[in-house]
Amino acid sequence: MLTFVGLGLYDLGDISVKGLECVKCADAVFLEAYTSRLMGTDVPAMEAFFEKEVRVLAREDVEQNPREILDCAAKGRVVVLTGGDPMVSTTHADLRLRAAAAGIETSIIHASSISSAVSGLSGLQNYRFGKSCSVPFPAKGWFPTAPVETIAANLALNLHTLVYLDIQKDRYMRIPEAITILEEMAQKRGIEPPDLYVGIARAGSDHPAVAAGTGAKLKETDFGPPLHILAVPAELHPMEREYLEMFAGL
């Protein structure tokens, strides 16, 4: 049996009662920690809270060689913990497909997701979001422009864009850096950069940071520690504008 358990957004208080009971009863517990991370806790705290060993998975352990996970799940009850909601990432959907193909029963215990939290914190209506994108850290000889092209395509359809920011082993992209990168992408592609952004930091914590404004304004805003995420709004509905004025300093 393989169960995907969402941890929610920020710390161990976000896991559901159902998810906690599942972890407590598991024979083996794995943590996928490269697509998202809970900044309000760490692995030792998880092990103390769950009273279980938590084995941390690298990208290749899930995407290329998940044999250890599948072998354990074929023999007993296995939990794969994920930040946010388990099936937001296609990586987890692929692992579930592999398990099902191997005859292993699977299930999902959902949790809060950044995709819904952004709507709640910003007031941007969830049904008005188009395709999302991710801004990666540039590397030598590699500077993709697909994110700004996605934003431009959404804006042409009057749709908001959720912009995920890169997470590496010990490096987290911040909102000002992401905006600078997007502006450089826009210049490279000959596209007008967005004139309005909404930046959100530490969604799910007791003190999230939310600010809306121009790129110049948000690059000067101190959002504090990660994780950070961006939204690029399309034309604002009057209620969206009022919400941003009230809660995000627009």
Side-chain angles (χ1 to χ4, degrees):
M1 176 69 177
L2 176 60
T3 304
F4 296 86
V5 176
L7 289 170
L9 295 170
Y10 187 72
D11 58 26
L12 291 171
D14 288 341
I15 192 171
S16 68
V17 173
K18 185 186 292 184
L20 179 58
E21 291 174 348
C22 184
V23 175
K24 294 270 191 182
C25 294
D27 299 309
V29 179
F30 296 89
L31 171 67
E32 185 279 281
Y34 63 85
T35 58
S36 183
R37 296 183 191 168
L38 269 66
M39 303 306 293
T41 190
D42 56 22
V43 173
M46 288 184 188
E47 292 183 323
F49 183 70
F50 295 134
E51 300 178 334
K52 296 276 185 180
E53 178 189 3
V54 176
R55 293 182 245 182
V56 180
L57 299 167
R59 183 181 293 272
E60 56 269 20
D61 298 325
V62 180
E63 296 182 357
Q64 298 172 23
N65 186 26
R67 180 49 49 195
E68 181 183 8
I69 304 169
L70 298 178
D71 285 348
C72 289
K75 301 171 186 174
R77 294 167 295 188
V78 171
V79 164
V80 172
L81 299 170
T82 71
D85 185 81
M87 289 301 145
V88 170
S89 172
T90 54
T91 289
H92 309 143
D94 177 71
L95 180 58
R96 190 181 187 204
L97 285 168
R98 293 190 193 209
I104 298 168
E105 185 180 356
T106 64
S107 64
I108 305 167
I109 299 178
H110 295 283
S112 52
S113 166
I114 189 62
S115 59
S116 57
V118 164
S119 291
L121 289 168
S122 69
L124 298 177
Q125 295 161 354
N126 65 340
Y127 62 86
R128 295 194 59 212
F129 278 82
K131 180 181 178 181
S132 62
C133 61
S134 299
V135 177
F137 286 110
K140 186 177 180 180
W142 183 69
F143 190 74
T145 58
V148 79
E149 294 165 17
T150 296
I151 292 169
N154 283 340
L155 289 175
L157 297 171
N158 199 25
L159 296 174
H160 308 319
T161 308
L162 184 61
V163 184
Y164 295 95
L165 309 188
D166 201 0
I167 298 173
Q168 296 185 357
K169 185 175 181 181
D170 294 306
R171 188 182 180 196
Y172 306 94
M173 186 178 290
R174 310 286 180 118
I175 288 163
E177 183 177 12
I179 292 173
T180 298
I181 292 171
L182 286 171
E183 290 173 342
E184 291 174 0
M185 290 179 182
Q187 184 178 26
K188 185 175 180 179
R189 294 296 298 162
I191 298 171
E192 281 295 317
D195 56 12
L196 179 63
Y197 296 89
V198 180
I200 295 173
R202 297 174 309 286
S205 71
D206 290 338
H207 302 288
V210 185
T214 63
K217 174 185 174 181
L218 294 201
K219 284 192 288 185
E220 298 300 320
T221 300
D222 181 7
F223 285 91
L227 295 174
H228 290 191
I229 194 164
L230 269 175
V232 177
E235 182 180 348
L236 295 174
H237 181 278
M239 184 177 290
E240 292 176 316
R241 180 172 294 278
E242 182 182 2
Y243 200 102
L244 287 171
E245 289 172 348
M246 180 71 70
F247 298 111
L250 181 64

